[in-house]
Structures are given as structure tokens and as C-alpha cells.
Amino acid sequence: MSDPLHAALLLAAAFVAGALNSVAGGGSFLTLPALVFTGVPAVVANATGTVALLPGYLSGALGFRSDMQAPPGLSMRMLAGVSLIGGALGAALLLLTGDAAFRRLVPWLLLAATAVFAAGPWLMRRAGGSGAAPAGAARSIVGVLAVAAYGGYFNGGLGILLLALFGLLGQSNLNAMNGLKNLVSALLTAIAVVVYAWGGLVLWPHALAMMVAATAGGYLGARAARRVAPAVLRAAIVATGLVMSALFFLR
């Protein structure tokens, strides 16, 4: 990050992304576009931005560690294993995706992730009020594997997808669901980082600097969260996602 303006942009994007992830999610709507704007290839930007947000998932998982319980039909050990496998599969798929192809996918992925985020409250009501019976092991494994693979490939909207999935699998305790969301996100991101690094996709100077900024943003964002109405915050994140999607469509 030799250009001071680029460095400032990336640190600011990571700081705000960390703050957003600590209270509502949507941080990748900022880190990916910021990296691409500074000239980083889209596939490398996706991997580097994901690395930068890893500490937030780890701290979130630790914060909810006493509330965690596996979804019906799964043990915590099995949940961890499936999350690692799914994250590795998604990251491997990213390695196989050329930069030109991924750049064409980015606006659609951002738009889809924005739609998922916007529909988050409805998805959670649907999952919570579905009256679904506890899922069997096979259904739980397939669901976690699919969402973890998505997260290993593209991080946007991952938290909402995981919360909705756990609700559909029969989970009802919100603290437990949040804890599992952070745990699964941390595990799949950690293994994805290993795959990204093996494939040479991570710009480590960028990732490490953004990691520090995202961690600081997450801490301050959590402290300031109660001052902002959730509906206002969600609307701002959706607007950001739509703007970023439009910019990528126009590139």
C-alpha cells in the first residue's frame, strides 16, 4: 500500500466494515469494492478482504461461547468438520475461477447478497415461525455444507444465510444462533484463508493492515451500536450494497 490515498481508503473501508459486521453484517460490501478500486484483481480482492474480517468472527464466537449449542441432529464436532470442508470447497472453487470470470460475477454476487441482507428480517421470521421439526443429521449436514461453501467462495450475506439456516434446522435460541453463526464463519474463513494463501491470492500487507482497522472498527461499532436505530443501519447497508453493485455493473 505505497499510495497514501489508497492506504487511507482501504483502512477506512476495513474500519467501517468491522463496525458494520459487529452490529449487523455487510462489511464485505465495502472491503471488496475498496480493494478493487485501488487496482487489486477481483479474485485477490475477495480473498484479501475475507482475511481482513477473520478476527471479527473469532471474537464474536468467543463472546457467545457459553451460549453455543449445535443444531438438532449435529454435534459441535460434526458442525466444525462440515464447516471446514465447506469453506475449503468454496475457497478451492474461487481458486479455479479466473479473474475475468469472477469480475463478471461480482456485481451479481453483490446484488444477490444485498437482496439476502435486505430480506434478512423476513427470512428470520419465516425460519422462526415455520414450526419446522428438528432436522435430521443428513439435512443439517447438507445445509451447513452448502452455506459454508458459499462463504468460502464469497462472504457477502453469509451471516443472514447462517441465521436463517439454523432457524430452519430447528434452532430457536437467538444467542445460540449468533454464536454458531460466528463460529461457523470463523472456521470456514480460517480454512479458506489457508487455501487462499496456498493459491497465492492474499495480499498480506493489505490484509494485515485492514485486519487491524477492522478489529478496531468492530470494537467501537459494538459500543456505538445502541445509538443507531437498527432499521436505519440496515437501510444504509442495503443502499451501500446497491450502489456498489451498480458501480460494478457500470465498470
Side-chain angles (χ1 to χ4, degrees):
M1 293 194 293
S2 56
D3 188 319
L5 290 177
H6 285 181
L9 173 64
L10 293 179
L11 292 175
F15 181 88
V16 178
L20 291 179
N21 277 352
S22 71
V23 295
S28 55
F29 293 154
L30 293 174
T31 53
L32 172 61
L35 283 159
V36 171
F37 179 80
T38 60
V40 178
V43 170
V44 176
N46 184 56
T48 302
T50 299
V51 174
L53 298 176
L54 176 58
Y57 296 136
L58 292 171
S59 61
L62 287 172
F64 283 105
R65 63 187 181 278
S66 62
D67 300 296
M68 285 187 206
Q69 57 187 47
L74 285 182
S75 65
M76 290 297 292
R77 184 173 297 180
M78 189 179 297
L79 177 69
V82 174
S83 301
L84 290 170
I85 293 170
L89 290 173
L93 181 59
L94 183 66
L95 289 182
L96 297 175
T97 306
D99 190 71
F102 188 74
R103 184 177 284 271
R104 288 193 294 270
L105 283 174
V106 163
W108 296 103
L109 290 169
L110 283 172
L111 190 60
T114 302
V116 168
F117 188 87
W122 179 83
L123 287 172
M124 293 308 301
R125 287 195 299 270
R126 177 97 176 181
S130 63
R139 181 182 171 190
S140 297
I141 288 172
V142 170
V144 173
L145 184 67
V147 177
Y150 167 85
Y153 186 78
F154 184 73
N155 198 260
L158 175 62
I160 289 294
L161 286 174
L162 284 169
L163 287 174
L165 172 67
F166 294 139
L168 291 171
L169 294 181
Q171 201 87 347
S172 59
N173 184 303
L174 186 58
N175 284 338
M177 292 164 69
N178 269 315
L180 289 179
K181 175 199 74 173
N182 286 310
L183 176 65
V184 170
S185 297
L187 288 171
L188 71 88
T189 301
I191 193 64
V193 167
V194 173
V195 177
Y196 297 157
W198 176 79
L201 294 185
V202 181
L203 289 177
W204 287 107
H206 295 62
L208 294 174
M210 293 175 74
M211 196 179 287
V212 173
T215 302
Y219 175 77
L220 294 177
R223 292 182 64 86
R226 63 192 64 182
R227 301 180 184 178
V228 182
V232 173
L233 185 61
R234 181 171 291 277
I237 294 172
V238 170
T240 300
L242 291 174
V243 169
M244 294 303 174
S245 301
L247 291 175
F248 273 95
F249 273 117
L250 294 173
R251 283 178 69 91

